[in-house]
Amino acid sequence: MNERFNIVVACDLNRGIGKNNQLPWRLSGDLKYFKQITTETTAPGKYNAVIMGRKTWESIPPNFRPLSGRYNVVLSRNETYYVPDGVFRFASLDEAFEHLEKGPVEQVFIIGGAEIYNQALQDHRIGLLYLTEVRHRFDCDTFFPDYKQFFQLLTSSEIQSENGIEYSFKVYKPNLLA
Ligand SMILES: NC(=O)c1ccc[n+]([C@@H]2O[C@H](COP(=O)([O-])OP(=O)(O)OC[C@H]3O[C@@H](n4cnc5c(N)ncnc54)[C@H](OP(=O)(O)O)[C@@H]3O)[C@@H](O)[C@H]2O)c1
């Protein structure tokens, strides 16, 4: 397993990411991109893992969870929190990593929400930040932390447009990563 984890997020120009425990927008191109980068592996027999907070897990419509083709890891401090068979629940990021290291896991992606992003951005194991920049200001109640001073831009896609909303796929690396 790659000892670094990646972060995947879509945020608007205010760094808004959610409202009422849902995504503030519907961008099928971004969902497709999310699925592709979190699912694709290079080694046969290996899978990627997605780690998410309990609220993000609950925000996924029941018929779309667990996210297919990936190990789904839900973080909750509630020891009795129910997750279906095949989904893992851990009480901390460290516990999740310890467990994932033992399995056929290629890459780990932290997929939110804000509470988990906040912790992940302070972790020394951080690898790449896959950030979809939604070029609009939505009414949000949940935000991605202020990240720009800690990262440098590696790549930026052409601007996509969907339902009158423009967005682009950006990849950043932490300043401290060679
Ligand atoms: N735009 C995007 O890319 C994106 C991505 C993901 C989510 N979102 C949005 O973000 C919002 C949800 O974010 P959120 O910050 O409210 O919630 P969240 O981060 O998804 O989940 C918070 C919960 O995770 C658990 N948790 C947090 N830190 C933990 C730790 N260190 N160890 C164990 N468990 C831990 C706790 O669960 P317990 O209370 O059960 O202990 C906590 O209540 C939604 O609106 C969602 O749509 C947006």
Side-chain angles (χ1 to χ4, degrees):
M1 185 176 101
N2 187 334
E3 75 271 15
R4 295 193 177 277
F5 62 75
N6 303 310
I7 292 179
V8 192
V9 64
C11 63
D12 78 358
L13 294 174
N14 295 327
R15 282 183 282 102
I17 63 165
K19 171 85 175 174
N20 298 330
N21 212 34
Q22 289 184 349
L23 291 176
W25 45 78
R26 193 179 148 70
L27 297 170
S28 61
D30 185 51
L31 293 176
K32 205 169 144 202
Y33 175 76
F34 170 84
K35 184 172 186 184
Q36 185 194 330
I37 55 172
T38 56
T39 307
E40 268 181 9
T41 51
T42 52
K46 290 213 173 183
Y47 292 90
N48 293 329
V50 287
I51 300 183
M52 69 198 98
R54 191 257 308 162
K55 292 182 186 169
T56 294
W57 165 259
E58 289 176 356
S59 77
I60 303 172
N63 47 332
F64 286 106
R65 68 185 199 217
L67 299 177
S68 60
R70 292 148 282 186
Y71 294 112
N72 283 227
V73 176
V74 179
L75 294 185
S76 170
R77 298 187 178 93
N78 177 356
E79 304 251 309
T80 61
Y81 185 71
Y82 166 82
V83 289
D85 278 354
V87 175
F88 304 95
R89 184 205 59 83
F90 294 109
S92 71
L93 262 183
D94 282 344
E95 208 181 281
F97 265 92
E98 239 170 74
H99 179 88
L100 291 170
E101 268 163 10
K102 296 182 195 138
V105 177
E106 191 165 293
Q107 292 200 76
V108 175
F109 293 89
I110 305 274
I111 62 163
E115 266 194 55
I116 307 299
Y117 289 140
N118 264 311
Q119 297 167 43
L121 283 175
Q122 289 170 37
D123 195 294
H124 64 281
R125 292 166 290 198
I126 185 167
L128 298 178
L129 167 62
Y130 292 88
L131 184 140
T132 299
E133 185 179 80
V134 184
R135 297 156 67 95
H136 194 84
R137 292 176 205 277
F138 286 84
D139 177 23
C140 293
D141 59 16
T142 320
F143 295 85
F144 192 68
D146 194 357
Y147 62 97
K148 278 205 173 148
Q149 56 190 313
F150 306 113
F151 287 87
Q152 44 185 290
L153 184 64
L154 287 182
T155 60
S156 185
S157 75
E158 282 178 7
I159 291 175
Q160 323 283 310
S161 184
E162 211 178 309
N163 312 324
I165 301 167
E166 293 190 331
Y167 59 101
S168 64
F169 304 122
K170 300 193 165 190
V171 182
Y172 291 86
K173 76 173 180 103
N175 290 333
L176 296 176
L177 196 64

